[in-house]
Amino acid sequence: MTTPPTTPRAARPPMRRSTAKRSAALKSAIAWLIAAAYLFPVYWMINTSLKTGKDMFAVPPQMVPEDLYLGSYAAVFSPTYGIPQAFLNSTIIATSVLVLTLLIAIPASYAVARLRGRVTTSMMIMLTVVQLLPAIAISVPLFVMFRQAGLINSYLSMILADISVTLPFAVILLRPYFKMFPYEVEEAARIDGLSAIGTIIRIVIPTIRPGIIMIGSFAFLMAWGEFTFALTLTTEQSIQPLTVALNRIIGQYGTAWNDLMATAAVIAAPVLILFIVLQRYIVAGLASGATKG
Protein backbone atom coordinates (compact mmCIF):
# COMPACT_ATOMS: atom_id res chain seq x y z
CA MET A 1 0.00 0.00 0.00
CA THR A 2 1.54 3.22 -1.11
CA THR A 3 1.12 6.43 0.80
CA PRO A 4 -0.16 9.41 -1.12
CA PRO A 5 2.49 11.95 -1.94
CA THR A 6 2.64 14.79 0.53
CA THR A 7 1.94 18.20 -0.84
CA PRO A 8 4.27 21.00 0.20
CA ARG A 9 2.89 23.44 2.72
CA ALA A 10 1.75 26.75 1.44
CA ALA A 11 3.91 29.75 2.19
CA ARG A 12 1.03 31.60 3.90
CA PRO A 13 2.13 31.32 7.56
CA PRO A 14 5.41 33.22 6.95
CA MET A 15 3.46 35.82 5.01
CA ARG A 16 1.01 36.13 7.87
CA ARG A 17 3.87 36.57 10.32
CA SER A 18 5.45 39.27 8.18
CA THR A 19 2.08 41.01 7.83
CA ALA A 20 1.61 40.87 11.59
CA LYS A 21 5.09 42.35 12.11
CA ARG A 22 4.37 45.17 9.66
CA SER A 23 1.04 45.84 11.37
CA ALA A 24 2.73 45.92 14.81
CA ALA A 25 5.44 48.23 13.49
CA LEU A 26 2.82 50.55 11.98
CA LYS A 27 0.88 50.66 15.25
CA SER A 28 4.07 51.38 17.18
CA ALA A 29 4.96 54.19 14.79
CA ILE A 30 1.49 55.72 15.15
CA ALA A 31 1.70 55.41 18.94
CA TRP A 32 5.09 57.14 18.98
CA LEU A 33 3.77 59.94 16.77
CA ILE A 34 0.79 60.48 19.08
CA ALA A 35 3.07 60.44 22.13
CA ALA A 36 5.43 62.91 20.47
CA ALA A 37 2.53 65.23 19.67
CA TYR A 38 1.40 65.17 23.31
CA LEU A 39 4.92 65.54 24.71
CA PHE A 40 6.03 68.32 22.36
CA PRO A 41 4.48 71.10 24.52
CA VAL A 42 6.39 69.71 27.51
CA TYR A 43 9.60 69.72 25.50
CA TRP A 44 8.94 73.27 24.30
CA MET A 45 8.28 74.37 27.88
CA ILE A 46 11.67 73.05 28.99
CA ASN A 47 13.31 74.38 25.82
CA THR A 48 11.97 77.89 26.43
CA SER A 49 12.99 77.81 30.09
CA LEU A 50 16.62 77.30 29.02
CA LYS A 51 16.71 80.25 26.59
CA THR A 52 17.61 83.88 27.04
CA GLY A 53 15.12 86.60 26.23
CA LYS A 54 16.77 87.15 22.85
CA ASP A 55 16.84 83.48 21.86
CA MET A 56 13.14 83.03 22.68
CA PHE A 57 12.17 85.30 19.78
CA ALA A 58 14.75 84.07 17.30
CA VAL A 59 13.57 83.48 13.73
CA PRO A 60 13.48 80.63 12.85
CA PRO A 61 12.78 79.24 16.34
CA GLN A 62 15.62 77.35 17.98
CA MET A 63 14.54 73.75 18.45
CA VAL A 64 17.58 73.27 20.71
CA PRO A 65 18.94 76.18 22.78
CA GLU A 66 22.29 77.32 21.42
CA ASP A 67 23.37 78.81 24.74
CA LEU A 68 21.93 77.16 27.84
CA TYR A 69 20.60 79.82 30.20
CA LEU A 70 19.91 78.75 33.78
CA GLY A 71 19.03 82.20 35.04
CA SER A 72 15.30 81.45 34.85
CA TYR A 73 15.63 78.55 37.28
CA ALA A 74 17.74 80.74 39.57
CA ALA A 75 14.91 83.30 39.47
CA VAL A 76 12.37 80.59 40.31
CA PHE A 77 14.14 79.70 43.55
CA SER A 78 14.91 83.31 44.46
CA PRO A 79 12.55 85.42 46.60
CA THR A 80 11.49 87.40 43.51
CA TYR A 81 8.36 85.40 42.71
CA GLY A 82 7.92 83.62 46.04
CA ILE A 83 8.02 80.19 44.40
CA PRO A 84 9.70 78.28 47.30
CA GLN A 85 6.96 79.31 49.74
CA ALA A 86 4.29 78.60 47.13
CA PHE A 87 5.82 75.16 46.56
CA LEU A 88 5.56 74.45 50.28
CA ASN A 89 1.95 75.68 50.31
CA SER A 90 1.00 73.43 47.40
CA THR A 91 2.68 70.45 49.05
CA ILE A 92 0.78 70.97 52.31
CA ILE A 93 -2.55 71.49 50.54
CA ALA A 94 -2.26 68.62 48.05
CA THR A 95 -0.98 66.13 50.64
CA SER A 96 -3.75 67.06 53.07
CA VAL A 97 -6.37 66.73 50.34
CA LEU A 98 -4.98 63.31 49.39
CA VAL A 99 -5.07 61.98 52.95
CA LEU A 100 -8.47 63.41 53.89
CA THR A 101 -10.06 62.36 50.60
CA LEU A 102 -9.04 58.74 51.09
CA LEU A 103 -9.96 58.74 54.78
CA ILE A 104 -13.48 59.89 53.93
CA ALA A 105 -13.96 58.24 50.55
CA ILE A 106 -12.98 54.69 51.56
CA PRO A 107 -15.68 54.18 54.24
CA ALA A 108 -18.19 56.26 52.27
CA SER A 109 -17.74 54.28 49.04
CA TYR A 110 -17.85 51.02 51.01
CA ALA A 111 -21.15 52.02 52.58
CA VAL A 112 -22.59 53.10 49.22
CA ALA A 113 -21.45 49.82 47.64
CA ARG A 114 -23.14 47.73 50.33
CA LEU A 115 -26.38 49.72 50.45
CA ARG A 116 -29.31 48.76 48.26
CA GLY A 117 -32.37 50.59 47.01
CA ARG A 118 -33.25 54.14 46.14
CA VAL A 119 -30.93 55.63 48.74
CA THR A 120 -27.88 54.45 46.84
CA THR A 121 -29.26 55.63 43.50
CA SER A 122 -30.11 59.07 44.86
CA MET A 123 -26.72 59.37 46.52
CA MET A 124 -24.85 58.44 43.33
CA ILE A 125 -26.91 60.92 41.29
CA MET A 126 -26.14 63.64 43.82
CA LEU A 127 -22.41 62.85 43.77
CA THR A 128 -22.39 62.85 39.97
CA VAL A 129 -24.14 66.23 39.81
CA VAL A 130 -21.69 67.70 42.33
CA GLN A 131 -18.78 66.28 40.33
CA LEU A 132 -20.07 67.90 37.14
CA LEU A 133 -20.33 71.38 38.66
CA PRO A 134 -17.50 73.69 37.52
CA ALA A 135 -15.27 75.11 40.23
CA ILE A 136 -16.23 78.68 39.36
CA ALA A 137 -19.89 77.88 40.14
CA ILE A 138 -19.17 76.99 43.76
CA SER A 139 -16.18 79.24 44.44
CA VAL A 140 -18.33 82.30 45.27
CA PRO A 141 -20.63 80.45 47.75
CA LEU A 142 -17.55 78.91 49.35
CA PHE A 143 -15.93 82.34 49.61
CA VAL A 144 -18.99 83.77 51.39
CA MET A 145 -19.20 80.78 53.74
CA PHE A 146 -15.48 80.76 54.59
CA ARG A 147 -15.42 84.54 55.06
CA GLN A 148 -18.21 84.30 57.61
CA ALA A 149 -16.28 81.51 59.35
CA GLY A 150 -13.04 83.52 59.29
CA LEU A 151 -11.20 80.95 57.17
CA ILE A 152 -10.13 83.17 54.26
CA ASN A 153 -6.35 83.09 53.68
CA SER A 154 -5.93 79.75 55.43
CA TYR A 155 -4.86 76.29 54.41
CA LEU A 156 -8.10 74.86 55.77
CA SER A 157 -10.30 76.83 53.37
CA MET A 158 -8.38 75.64 50.30
CA ILE A 159 -8.21 72.05 51.57
CA LEU A 160 -11.95 71.90 52.20
CA ALA A 161 -12.68 73.53 48.84
CA ASP A 162 -10.50 71.01 47.00
CA ILE A 163 -12.08 68.11 48.89
CA SER A 164 -15.49 69.25 47.65
CA VAL A 165 -14.23 68.29 44.18
CA THR A 166 -12.02 65.28 44.89
CA LEU A 167 -14.36 63.50 47.31
CA PRO A 168 -17.28 62.88 44.90
CA PHE A 169 -14.74 61.81 42.27
CA ALA A 170 -13.14 59.33 44.68
CA VAL A 171 -16.42 57.87 45.93
CA ILE A 172 -17.75 57.36 42.40
CA LEU A 173 -14.59 55.55 41.29
CA LEU A 174 -14.03 53.53 44.48
CA ARG A 175 -17.58 52.20 44.70
CA PRO A 176 -17.17 49.56 41.92
CA TYR A 177 -14.08 48.13 43.65
CA PHE A 178 -15.98 47.54 46.89
CA LYS A 179 -19.09 46.40 45.04
CA MET A 180 -17.23 43.65 43.17
CA PHE A 181 -15.39 42.43 46.26
CA PRO A 182 -16.95 39.07 47.33
CA TYR A 183 -19.15 39.57 50.35
CA GLU A 184 -18.57 35.94 51.34
CA VAL A 185 -14.92 36.77 52.06
CA GLU A 186 -16.02 39.52 54.44
CA GLU A 187 -18.41 37.14 56.20
CA ALA A 188 -15.63 34.58 56.60
CA ALA A 189 -13.34 37.24 58.07
CA ARG A 190 -16.00 38.26 60.58
CA ILE A 191 -16.56 34.65 61.57
CA ASP A 192 -12.83 34.49 62.30
CA GLY A 193 -13.25 37.36 64.73
CA LEU A 194 -12.54 40.50 62.69
CA SER A 195 -14.77 43.52 63.13
CA ALA A 196 -16.29 45.40 60.20
CA ILE A 197 -13.54 48.04 60.31
CA GLY A 198 -10.86 45.37 60.74
CA THR A 199 -12.22 43.49 57.73
CA ILE A 200 -12.05 46.61 55.57
CA ILE A 201 -8.53 47.51 56.72
CA ARG A 202 -6.95 44.04 56.73
CA ILE A 203 -8.86 42.23 53.97
CA VAL A 204 -10.60 44.59 51.55
CA ILE A 205 -8.15 47.50 51.25
CA PRO A 206 -5.04 45.35 50.48
CA THR A 207 -7.02 43.64 47.73
CA ILE A 208 -8.10 46.86 46.01
CA ARG A 209 -4.83 48.70 46.73
CA PRO A 210 -4.09 49.56 43.05
CA GLY A 211 -7.44 51.32 42.77
CA ILE A 212 -6.87 53.27 45.97
CA ILE A 213 -3.39 54.35 44.87
CA MET A 214 -4.73 55.38 41.46
CA ILE A 215 -7.56 57.44 42.94
CA GLY A 216 -5.27 58.97 45.56
CA SER A 217 -2.83 59.98 42.83
CA PHE A 218 -5.56 61.72 40.86
CA ALA A 219 -6.81 63.46 44.02
CA PHE A 220 -3.28 64.76 44.64
CA LEU A 221 -3.00 65.88 41.02
CA MET A 222 -6.34 67.69 41.12
CA ALA A 223 -5.37 69.54 44.30
CA TRP A 224 -1.86 70.31 43.01
CA GLY A 225 -3.14 71.95 39.84
CA GLU A 226 -6.22 73.68 41.27
CA PHE A 227 -6.36 77.41 40.51
CA THR A 228 -9.90 78.79 40.89
CA PHE A 229 -10.33 78.11 44.61
CA ALA A 230 -6.78 79.21 45.37
CA LEU A 231 -7.29 82.52 43.60
CA THR A 232 -10.72 83.12 45.14
CA LEU A 233 -9.98 82.16 48.74
CA THR A 234 -6.53 83.74 49.15
CA THR A 235 -5.27 87.28 48.93
CA GLU A 236 -2.00 86.96 50.84
CA GLN A 237 1.03 85.85 48.86
CA SER A 238 2.42 83.87 51.79
CA ILE A 239 -0.48 81.40 51.68
CA GLN A 240 -1.01 81.07 47.91
CA PRO A 241 -0.06 77.83 46.10
CA LEU A 242 2.03 77.39 42.98
CA THR A 243 -0.78 77.90 40.49
CA VAL A 244 -1.44 81.42 41.77
CA ALA A 245 2.30 82.12 41.98
CA LEU A 246 2.56 81.11 38.33
CA ASN A 247 -0.15 83.62 37.49
CA ARG A 248 1.84 86.38 39.23
CA ILE A 249 4.64 86.04 36.69
CA ILE A 250 2.30 87.14 33.90
CA GLY A 251 2.81 90.90 33.94
CA GLN A 252 0.47 93.63 32.81
CA TYR A 253 2.92 95.09 30.29
CA GLY A 254 5.11 92.10 29.56
CA THR A 255 5.82 88.51 30.53
CA ALA A 256 9.17 86.86 31.17
CA TRP A 257 8.32 83.73 29.24
CA ASN A 258 11.52 81.90 30.15
CA ASP A 259 10.83 82.48 33.86
CA LEU A 260 7.22 81.44 33.34
CA MET A 261 8.23 78.20 31.61
CA ALA A 262 10.83 77.45 34.28
CA THR A 263 8.16 77.86 36.97
CA ALA A 264 5.79 75.63 35.00
CA ALA A 265 8.53 72.98 34.77
CA VAL A 266 9.02 73.12 38.54
CA ILE A 267 5.26 72.73 39.04
CA ALA A 268 5.10 69.77 36.65
CA ALA A 269 8.13 67.95 38.09
CA PRO A 270 6.42 66.47 41.21
CA VAL A 271 3.50 65.27 39.10
CA LEU A 272 5.81 63.52 36.64
CA ILE A 273 7.81 61.95 39.47
CA LEU A 274 4.61 60.77 41.15
CA PHE A 275 3.33 59.06 38.01
CA ILE A 276 6.71 57.51 37.21
CA VAL A 277 7.00 56.04 40.71
CA LEU A 278 3.38 54.85 40.89
CA GLN A 279 2.95 53.98 37.21
CA ARG A 280 2.52 50.26 37.88
CA TYR A 281 -0.23 50.82 40.43
CA ILE A 282 -2.00 53.50 38.39
CA VAL A 283 -2.12 51.34 35.26
CA ALA A 284 -3.28 48.34 37.30
CA GLY A 285 -5.97 50.44 38.97
CA LEU A 286 -7.23 51.80 35.67
CA ALA A 287 -7.19 48.35 34.05
CA SER A 288 -9.04 46.66 36.91
CA GLY A 289 -11.47 49.55 37.28
CA ALA A 290 -12.40 49.25 33.61
CA THR A 291 -13.73 45.74 34.19
CA LYS A 292 -15.82 46.56 37.25
CA GLY A 293 -19.39 47.70 37.12
Side-chain angles (χ1 to χ4, degrees), residues 81-93 152-155 157-158 223-224 226-249 267:
Y81 301 119
I83 300 301
Q85 180 61 40
F87 190 93
L88 177 62
N89 296 337
S90 290
T91 303
I92 294 173
I93 294 169
I152 297 298
N153 289 319
S154 66
Y155 290 132
S157 63
M158 288 181 285
W224 185 266
E226 205 287 318
F227 175 73
T228 305
F229 294 145
L231 184 64
T232 305
L233 302 175
T234 61
T235 57
E236 296 180 3
Q237 181 173 331
S238 60
I239 203 71
Q240 291 175 338
L242 278 170
T243 49
V244 182
L246 180 67
N247 185 62
R248 289 199 301 263
I249 303 177
I267 295 176

Side-chain angles (χ1 to χ4, degrees), residues 55 62 80 90 119 138 164 168 258 263 282 287 292:
D55 292 340
Q62 297 178 5
T80 304
S90 290
V119 176
I138 59 177
S164 68
N258 46 2
T263 306
I282 294 174
K292 293 175 169 60

Side-chain angles (χ1 to χ4, degrees), residues 146-164:
F146 289 143
R147 185 182 61 180
Q148 293 176 351
L151 295 178
I152 297 298
N153 289 319
S154 66
Y155 290 132
L156 184 58
S157 63
M158 288 181 285
I159 291 171
L160 293 177
D162 290 341
I163 289 177
S164 68

Side-chain angles (χ1 to χ4, degrees), residues 83-201:
I83 300 301
Q85 180 61 40
F87 190 93
L88 177 62
N89 296 337
S90 290
T91 303
I92 294 173
I93 294 169
T95 304
S96 301
V97 169
L98 164 63
V99 174
L100 291 176
T101 298
L102 291 181
L103 285 178
I104 301 173
I106 288 175
S109 56
Y110 175 82
V112 173
R114 291 293 179 249
L115 288 175
R116 295 291 186 271
R118 296 181 179 179
V119 176
T120 304
T121 304
S122 302
M123 189 176 299
M124 293 306 299
I125 293 175
M126 181 181 65
L127 291 174
T128 304
V129 171
V130 172
Q131 177 66 25
L132 293 176
L133 288 175
I136 192 64
I138 59 177
S139 59
V140 175
L142 287 176
F143 174 80
V144 174
M145 182 176 63
F146 289 143
R147 185 182 61 180
Q148 293 176 351
L151 295 178
I152 297 298
N153 289 319
S154 66
Y155 290 132
L156 184 58
S157 63
M158 288 181 285
I159 291 171
L160 293 177
D162 290 341
I163 289 177
S164 68
V165 177
T166 60
L167 185 58
F169 168 82
V171 172
I172 291 172
L173 291 187
L174 271 177
R175 176 177 172 266
Y177 290 94
F178 287 109
K179 190 175 181 181
M180 296 299 295
F181 189 85
Y183 186 70
E184 293 78 9
V185 177
E186 296 184 43
E187 290 182 335
R190 293 177 184 177
I191 293 174
D192 291 337
L194 285 178
S195 62
I197 297 178
T199 302
I200 296 174
I201 295 176

